[in-house]
Amino acid sequence: MNYQNMGKWIEELTTRSTQEQIKAMHRYQKLIERVLRGELDEQTVREEYMRFARDQATRYAQDLANLSLNYYNALAQLNQSYNELFFQAVMGGANGRADEEKPEREAQKVPVSLTAPLGHQAQAAFILENKRAEAAEISFLISEFEGDGDSPPFRPPLQISPPRFTLEAQEERKITLTLTLLETLFTVGQTYRATIVVKGHDDLHLLLAVTVEAPAPPPKSPSKKKAAAKKADDLTRIKGIGPAYAHKLQAAGVRTFGALAALDDEQLAAILGQTAVTRAGQQGWREQSGRLVA
């Protein structure tokens, strides 16, 4: 990645971050306006926020930890690549004329495909065999990944296991490639390519082709399917019930006029509070529900 591409990439990241912050501010403003108009109950919004924060805190911490580990893994791979290039340059210079006399050997190119949904891990494995009479020191050089279009090259957290080892004469070893398709680096529907040079194994080149699929939608639980199949009534048709009361009733599972009519005072107080019980008696919520059911 040259300096011009790097500057463009940083500019795009800054613009995207700013746009996301502005979008979040607009949505927060709309939420406040709905609370002020009485469309949403302030207490309900607070409770939903606390529940969301509690449920998502662990997941956020795990995602942050994975991102940090992937960053340091990519940094280690980058250092390894440049170390290999340095020693190759030094050793090549030391051998000098002897290297020039060696005939060029065409690299063996082996295609390797990786496919997984965005946000998941893609894996592939292959067998490396040493047919020589002496041991071979195996290591790997990983090129930058290039996608479709004009997107700049990048280095994702590709893991090779084992990353470096000694392959004895006539020995075989299974090698595993693991790549996390991070949403910040990959795009659904694109194919990304890179090359892995296997050092110490007769100029073997692995030609990676990474295909990013769309993540599968989460399965619906039977309870959600059952609730979706049952049509909810518009509880605001009952005189004295506004959007805030209707939202609390639906959240508690009271979605129809019949269910509202069947509530006793104790159940109604547990959902809406004692003030609502008094209002229900004065305005005849149960009688109104019964007529609407009929």
Side-chain angles (χ1 to χ4, degrees):
M1 180 187 299
N2 56 39
Y3 289 106
Q4 184 178 2
N5 289 338
M6 183 180 296
K8 182 179 179 182
W9 189 37
I10 293 174
E11 182 180 353
E12 290 176 352
L13 287 176
T14 303
T15 302
R16 186 169 60 185
S17 176
T18 303
Q19 291 174 346
E20 186 62 29
Q21 292 178 20
I22 294 174
K23 180 180 178 182
M25 290 176 61
H26 286 170
R27 298 184 68 182
Y28 181 71
Q29 183 64 34
K30 289 181 179 180
L31 176 64
I32 293 177
E33 291 174 355
R34 293 189 63 184
V35 172
L36 293 176
R37 289 196 301 264
E39 297 177 4
L40 295 176
D41 182 66
E42 183 177 357
Q43 181 62 30
T44 301
V45 173
R46 287 201 188 97
E47 292 173 356
E48 285 296 319
Y49 172 76
M50 295 302 295
R51 181 188 62 78
F52 177 84
R54 182 179 62 252
D55 295 344
Q56 299 297 324
T58 301
R59 180 180 176 184
Y60 178 82
Q62 291 176 346
D63 289 344
L64 187 60
N66 289 336
L67 185 61
S68 299
L69 291 174
N70 289 331
Y71 166 77
Y72 286 111
N73 177 70
L75 187 60
Q77 293 282 3
L78 181 62
N79 290 335
Q80 175 186 339
S81 300
Y82 278 91
N83 285 338
E84 291 293 339
L85 291 173
F86 167 75
F87 286 110
Q88 182 181 7
V90 172
M91 297 301 293
N95 291 335
R97 190 175 302 172
D99 287 341
E100 295 177 0
E101 295 174 356
K102 292 182 180 179
E104 291 187 2
R105 170 180 283 170
E106 184 177 356
Q108 181 184 3
K109 299 179 180 179
V110 178
V112 178
S113 298
L114 295 172
T115 304
L118 184 65
H120 292 69
Q121 285 188 342
Q123 283 193 336
F126 60 94
I127 301 298
L128 205 59
E129 181 182 3
N130 183 12
K131 297 181 179 180
R132 297 178 180 179
E134 66 276 0
E137 298 296 328
I138 304 298
S139 59
F140 303 92
L141 289 177
I142 307 172
S143 73
E144 292 184 319
F145 280 63
E146 295 184 355
D148 301 330
D150 298 329
S151 57
F154 62 97
R155 288 187 178 274
L158 175 65
Q159 299 178 4
I160 302 179
S161 179
R164 181 188 295 269
F165 57 93
T166 300
L167 193 63
E168 300 295 338
Q170 307 304 318
E171 182 187 5
E172 293 182 352
R173 181 73 65 92
K174 179 180 179 181
I175 313 300
T176 303
L177 306 178
T178 304
L179 176 62
T180 302
L181 303 182
L182 299 175
E183 296 181 5
T184 54
L185 297 177
F186 295 93
T187 303
V188 172
Q190 287 203 23
T191 299
Y192 299 84
R193 292 175 173 81
T195 300
I196 299 178
V197 178
V198 184
K199 303 294 293 181
H201 195 275
D202 297 335
D203 296 328
L204 174 61
H205 290 188
L206 305 179
L207 307 180
L208 296 188
V210 182
T211 303
V212 185
E213 299 176 341
K220 290 185 178 180
S221 63
S223 60
K224 289 184 178 179
K225 290 182 180 179
K226 185 176 180 181
K230 188 174 182 180
K231 185 177 179 181
D233 292 328
D234 183 6
L235 300 181
T236 59
R237 293 178 61 187
I238 303 294
K239 182 180 179 181
I241 296 181
Y245 274 175
H247 176 76
K248 287 186 176 182
L249 288 168
Q250 290 176 352
V254 183
R255 301 170 55 84
T256 63
F257 298 128
L260 178 61
L263 290 180
D264 57 29
D265 289 348
E266 183 178 351
Q267 293 171 326
L268 189 59
I271 299 173
L272 300 180
Q274 191 60 42
T275 302
V277 175
T278 303
R279 182 181 297 182
Q282 294 174 347
Q283 298 175 336
W285 288 5
R286 295 182 180 86
E287 291 77 5
Q288 292 183 62
S289 299
R291 288 195 297 271
L292 289 171
V293 171

mmCIF file of all heavy atoms in Angstrom, residues 235 238 241 249 254 256-265 267-268 284-293:
data_model
loop_
_atom_site.group_PDB
_atom_site.id
_atom_site.type_symbol
_atom_site.label_atom_id
_atom_site.label_comp_id
_atom_site.label_asym_id
_atom_site.label_seq_id
_atom_site.Cartn_x
_atom_site.Cartn_y
_atom_site.Cartn_z
ATOM 1 N N LEU A 235 -55.021 -1.819 20.817
ATOM 2 C CA LEU A 235 -55.537 -1.562 22.154
ATOM 3 C C LEU A 235 -55.838 -0.088 22.397
ATOM 4 O O LEU A 235 -56.538 0.255 23.356
ATOM 5 C CB LEU A 235 -54.538 -2.078 23.210
ATOM 6 C CG LEU A 235 -54.248 -3.580 23.143
ATOM 7 C CD1 LEU A 235 -53.266 -3.970 24.247
ATOM 8 C CD2 LEU A 235 -55.515 -4.399 23.270
ATOM 9 N N ILE A 238 -59.409 1.383 22.927
ATOM 10 C CA ILE A 238 -60.053 1.461 24.239
ATOM 11 C C ILE A 238 -59.846 2.875 24.781
ATOM 12 O O ILE A 238 -58.717 3.370 24.852
ATOM 13 C CB ILE A 238 -59.443 0.430 25.223
ATOM 14 C CG1 ILE A 238 -59.557 -0.991 24.640
ATOM 15 C CG2 ILE A 238 -60.100 0.506 26.576
ATOM 16 C CD1 ILE A 238 -60.962 -1.473 24.505
ATOM 17 N N ILE A 241 -56.643 4.297 26.969
ATOM 18 C CA ILE A 241 -55.381 3.585 26.703
ATOM 19 C C ILE A 241 -54.673 4.295 25.548
ATOM 20 O O ILE A 241 -55.185 4.341 24.427
ATOM 21 C CB ILE A 241 -55.618 2.104 26.362
ATOM 22 C CG1 ILE A 241 -56.227 1.375 27.553
ATOM 23 C CG2 ILE A 241 -54.310 1.436 25.940
ATOM 24 C CD1 ILE A 241 -56.470 -0.097 27.312
ATOM 25 N N LEU A 249 -48.708 -3.189 27.685
ATOM 26 C CA LEU A 249 -49.598 -4.356 27.670
ATOM 27 C C LEU A 249 -49.110 -5.391 26.664
ATOM 28 O O LEU A 249 -49.057 -6.592 26.968
ATOM 29 C CB LEU A 249 -51.021 -3.912 27.331
ATOM 30 C CG LEU A 249 -51.765 -3.143 28.430
ATOM 31 C CD1 LEU A 249 -53.029 -2.508 27.872
ATOM 32 C CD2 LEU A 249 -52.112 -4.062 29.611
ATOM 33 N N VAL A 254 -50.263 -9.135 26.605
ATOM 34 C CA VAL A 254 -51.683 -8.798 26.454
ATOM 35 C C VAL A 254 -51.841 -8.092 25.107
ATOM 36 O O VAL A 254 -51.660 -6.879 24.992
ATOM 37 C CB VAL A 254 -52.167 -7.898 27.614
ATOM 38 C CG1 VAL A 254 -53.662 -7.612 27.482
ATOM 39 C CG2 VAL A 254 -51.866 -8.549 28.949
ATOM 40 N N THR A 256 -54.579 -8.738 22.737
ATOM 41 C CA THR A 256 -55.923 -8.726 22.153
ATOM 42 C C THR A 256 -56.916 -8.139 23.143
ATOM 43 O O THR A 256 -56.660 -8.052 24.362
ATOM 44 C CB THR A 256 -56.364 -10.141 21.771
ATOM 45 O OG1 THR A 256 -56.450 -10.940 22.963
ATOM 46 C CG2 THR A 256 -55.365 -10.786 20.800
ATOM 47 N N PHE A 257 -58.113 -7.742 22.621
ATOM 48 C CA PHE A 257 -59.168 -7.229 23.488
ATOM 49 C C PHE A 257 -59.624 -8.295 24.476
ATOM 50 O O PHE A 257 -59.916 -8.005 25.640
ATOM 51 C CB PHE A 257 -60.356 -6.756 22.635
ATOM 52 C CG PHE A 257 -60.016 -5.629 21.703
ATOM 53 C CD1 PHE A 257 -60.309 -5.704 20.352
ATOM 54 C CD2 PHE A 257 -59.390 -4.485 22.180
ATOM 55 C CE1 PHE A 257 -60.003 -4.653 19.491
ATOM 56 C CE2 PHE A 257 -59.075 -3.433 21.325
ATOM 57 C CZ PHE A 257 -59.372 -3.528 19.983
ATOM 58 N N GLY A 258 -59.677 -9.548 23.998
ATOM 59 C CA GLY A 258 -60.091 -10.635 24.882
ATOM 60 C C GLY A 258 -59.142 -10.826 26.048
ATOM 61 O O GLY A 258 -59.569 -11.055 27.185
ATOM 62 N N ALA A 259 -57.826 -10.738 25.766
ATOM 63 C CA ALA A 259 -56.843 -10.891 26.841
ATOM 64 C C ALA A 259 -56.941 -9.749 27.843
ATOM 65 O O ALA A 259 -56.774 -9.948 29.054
ATOM 66 C CB ALA A 259 -55.442 -10.956 26.246
ATOM 67 N N LEU A 260 -57.225 -8.526 27.354
ATOM 68 C CA LEU A 260 -57.374 -7.383 28.249
ATOM 69 C C LEU A 260 -58.603 -7.539 29.143
ATOM 70 O O LEU A 260 -58.567 -7.258 30.337
ATOM 71 C CB LEU A 260 -57.469 -6.091 27.430
ATOM 72 C CG LEU A 260 -57.686 -4.809 28.218
ATOM 73 C CD1 LEU A 260 -56.530 -4.564 29.188
ATOM 74 C CD2 LEU A 260 -57.823 -3.618 27.279
ATOM 75 N N ALA A 261 -59.701 -8.019 28.556
ATOM 76 C CA ALA A 261 -60.925 -8.197 29.328
ATOM 77 C C ALA A 261 -60.759 -9.253 30.415
ATOM 78 O O ALA A 261 -61.434 -9.198 31.447
ATOM 79 C CB ALA A 261 -62.076 -8.575 28.389
ATOM 80 N N ALA A 262 -59.854 -10.215 30.202
ATOM 81 C CA ALA A 262 -59.669 -11.308 31.163
ATOM 82 C C ALA A 262 -58.753 -10.935 32.325
ATOM 83 O O ALA A 262 -58.634 -11.697 33.285
ATOM 84 C CB ALA A 262 -59.115 -12.540 30.442
ATOM 85 N N LEU A 263 -58.082 -9.772 32.272
ATOM 86 C CA LEU A 263 -57.175 -9.381 33.343
ATOM 87 C C LEU A 263 -57.959 -8.986 34.589
ATOM 88 O O LEU A 263 -58.959 -8.259 34.514
ATOM 89 C CB LEU A 263 -56.299 -8.199 32.906
ATOM 90 C CG LEU A 263 -55.229 -8.443 31.848
ATOM 91 C CD1 LEU A 263 -54.490 -7.146 31.557
ATOM 92 C CD2 LEU A 263 -54.253 -9.500 32.300
ATOM 93 N N ASP A 264 -57.475 -9.439 35.754
ATOM 94 C CA ASP A 264 -58.061 -8.949 37.002
ATOM 95 C C ASP A 264 -57.262 -7.728 37.468
ATOM 96 O O ASP A 264 -56.248 -7.354 36.860
ATOM 97 C CB ASP A 264 -58.081 -10.045 38.074
ATOM 98 C CG ASP A 264 -56.702 -10.626 38.367
ATOM 99 O OD1 ASP A 264 -55.707 -9.879 38.208
ATOM 100 O OD2 ASP A 264 -56.598 -11.798 38.762
ATOM 101 N N ASP A 265 -57.734 -7.085 38.547
ATOM 102 C CA ASP A 265 -57.091 -5.849 39.001
ATOM 103 C C ASP A 265 -55.644 -6.069 39.397
ATOM 104 O O ASP A 265 -54.776 -5.223 39.152
ATOM 105 C CB ASP A 265 -57.879 -5.265 40.188
ATOM 106 C CG ASP A 265 -59.220 -4.700 39.755
ATOM 107 O OD1 ASP A 265 -59.423 -4.558 38.532
ATOM 108 O OD2 ASP A 265 -60.055 -4.396 40.627
ATOM 109 N N GLN A 267 -53.473 -8.317 38.238
ATOM 110 C CA GLN A 267 -52.638 -8.483 37.060
ATOM 111 C C GLN A 267 -52.444 -7.154 36.330
ATOM 112 O O GLN A 267 -51.335 -6.835 35.860
ATOM 113 C CB GLN A 267 -53.281 -9.511 36.115
ATOM 114 C CG GLN A 267 -53.304 -10.923 36.683
ATOM 115 C CD GLN A 267 -54.130 -11.868 35.832
ATOM 116 O OE1 GLN A 267 -55.140 -11.445 35.252
ATOM 117 N NE2 GLN A 267 -53.735 -13.127 35.763
ATOM 118 N N LEU A 268 -53.530 -6.361 36.257
ATOM 119 C CA LEU A 268 -53.440 -5.066 35.589
ATOM 120 C C LEU A 268 -52.498 -4.129 36.331
ATOM 121 O O LEU A 268 -51.718 -3.390 35.724
ATOM 122 C CB LEU A 268 -54.836 -4.447 35.468
ATOM 123 C CG LEU A 268 -54.953 -3.189 34.597
ATOM 124 C CD1 LEU A 268 -54.507 -3.472 33.173
ATOM 125 C CD2 LEU A 268 -56.376 -2.656 34.618
ATOM 126 N N GLY A 284 -64.270 1.837 32.243
ATOM 127 C CA GLY A 284 -64.854 0.587 31.761
ATOM 128 C C GLY A 284 -64.044 -0.107 30.689
ATOM 129 O O GLY A 284 -64.567 -0.450 29.631
ATOM 130 N N TRP A 285 -62.750 -0.319 30.960
ATOM 131 C CA TRP A 285 -61.906 -0.967 29.967
ATOM 132 C C TRP A 285 -62.409 -2.372 29.621
ATOM 133 O O TRP A 285 -62.420 -2.773 28.460
ATOM 134 C CB TRP A 285 -60.461 -1.047 30.462
ATOM 135 C CG TRP A 285 -59.758 0.273 30.486
ATOM 136 C CD1 TRP A 285 -60.285 1.497 30.206
ATOM 137 C CD2 TRP A 285 -58.389 0.483 30.827
ATOM 138 N NE1 TRP A 285 -59.348 2.477 30.350
ATOM 139 C CE2 TRP A 285 -58.147 1.884 30.728
ATOM 140 C CE3 TRP A 285 -57.338 -0.340 31.209
ATOM 141 C CZ2 TRP A 285 -56.923 2.443 31.006
ATOM 142 C CZ3 TRP A 285 -56.105 0.214 31.474
ATOM 143 C CH2 TRP A 285 -55.895 1.596 31.375
ATOM 144 N N ARG A 286 -62.789 -3.131 30.620
ATOM 145 C CA ARG A 286 -63.221 -4.507 30.371
ATOM 146 C C ARG A 286 -64.516 -4.519 29.559
ATOM 147 O O ARG A 286 -64.698 -5.349 28.657
ATOM 148 C CB ARG A 286 -63.407 -5.236 31.695
ATOM 149 C CG ARG A 286 -62.096 -5.416 32.483
ATOM 150 C CD ARG A 286 -62.319 -6.184 33.745
ATOM 151 N NE ARG A 286 -61.071 -6.359 34.513
ATOM 152 C CZ ARG A 286 -60.603 -5.463 35.376
ATOM 153 N NH1 ARG A 286 -61.270 -4.335 35.587
ATOM 154 N NH2 ARG A 286 -59.452 -5.674 35.997
ATOM 155 N N GLU A 287 -65.438 -3.598 29.874
ATOM 156 C CA GLU A 287 -66.701 -3.546 29.134
ATOM 157 C C GLU A 287 -66.434 -3.144 27.666
ATOM 158 O O GLU A 287 -67.012 -3.713 26.731
ATOM 159 C CB GLU A 287 -67.668 -2.537 29.770
ATOM 160 C CG GLU A 287 -68.191 -2.973 31.143
ATOM 161 C CD GLU A 287 -67.181 -2.789 32.256
ATOM 162 O OE1 GLU A 287 -66.094 -2.240 31.989
ATOM 163 O OE2 GLU A 287 -67.459 -3.213 33.392
ATOM 164 N N GLN A 288 -65.535 -2.154 27.486
ATOM 165 C CA GLN A 288 -65.203 -1.754 26.109
ATOM 166 C C GLN A 288 -64.564 -2.911 25.347
ATOM 167 O O GLN A 288 -64.877 -3.144 24.170
ATOM 168 C CB GLN A 288 -64.228 -0.577 26.129
ATOM 169 C CG GLN A 288 -64.798 0.723 26.662
ATOM 170 C CD GLN A 288 -63.767 1.851 26.571
ATOM 171 O OE1 GLN A 288 -63.350 2.192 25.472
ATOM 172 N NE2 GLN A 288 -63.393 2.413 27.721
ATOM 173 N N SER A 289 -63.674 -3.657 26.017
ATOM 174 C CA SER A 289 -63.022 -4.786 25.362
ATOM 175 C C SER A 289 -64.024 -5.842 24.976
ATOM 176 O O SER A 289 -63.963 -6.428 23.888
ATOM 177 C CB SER A 289 -61.955 -5.393 26.297
ATOM 178 O OG SER A 289 -60.971 -4.452 26.611
ATOM 179 N N GLY A 290 -64.984 -6.119 25.886
ATOM 180 C CA GLY A 290 -66.002 -7.114 25.591
ATOM 181 C C GLY A 290 -66.828 -6.736 24.380
ATOM 182 O O GLY A 290 -67.145 -7.579 23.525
ATOM 183 N N ARG A 291 -67.184 -5.457 24.261
ATOM 184 C CA ARG A 291 -67.981 -5.038 23.109
ATOM 185 C C ARG A 291 -67.170 -5.159 21.815
ATOM 186 O O ARG A 291 -67.714 -5.542 20.764
ATOM 187 C CB ARG A 291 -68.440 -3.568 23.309
ATOM 188 C CG ARG A 291 -69.530 -3.422 24.375
ATOM 189 C CD ARG A 291 -70.186 -2.062 24.278
ATOM 190 N NE ARG A 291 -69.252 -0.972 24.544
ATOM 191 C CZ ARG A 291 -69.027 -0.475 25.753
ATOM 192 N NH1 ARG A 291 -69.669 -0.982 26.819
ATOM 193 N NH2 ARG A 291 -68.193 0.534 25.916
ATOM 194 N N LEU A 292 -65.887 -4.800 21.872
ATOM 195 C CA LEU A 292 -65.055 -4.891 20.676
ATOM 196 C C LEU A 292 -64.834 -6.349 20.254
ATOM 197 O O LEU A 292 -64.772 -6.654 19.058
ATOM 198 C CB LEU A 292 -63.692 -4.224 20.911
ATOM 199 C CG LEU A 292 -63.748 -2.695 21.000
ATOM 200 C CD1 LEU A 292 -62.407 -2.145 21.453
ATOM 201 C CD2 LEU A 292 -64.124 -2.091 19.647
ATOM 202 N N VAL A 293 -64.725 -7.242 21.234
ATOM 203 C CA VAL A 293 -64.601 -8.663 20.913
ATOM 204 C C VAL A 293 -65.881 -9.155 20.241
ATOM 205 O O VAL A 293 -65.858 -9.891 19.243
ATOM 206 C CB VAL A 293 -64.295 -9.494 22.175
ATOM 207 C CG1 VAL A 293 -64.400 -10.981 21.870
ATOM 208 C CG2 VAL A 293 -62.911 -9.183 22.694
#
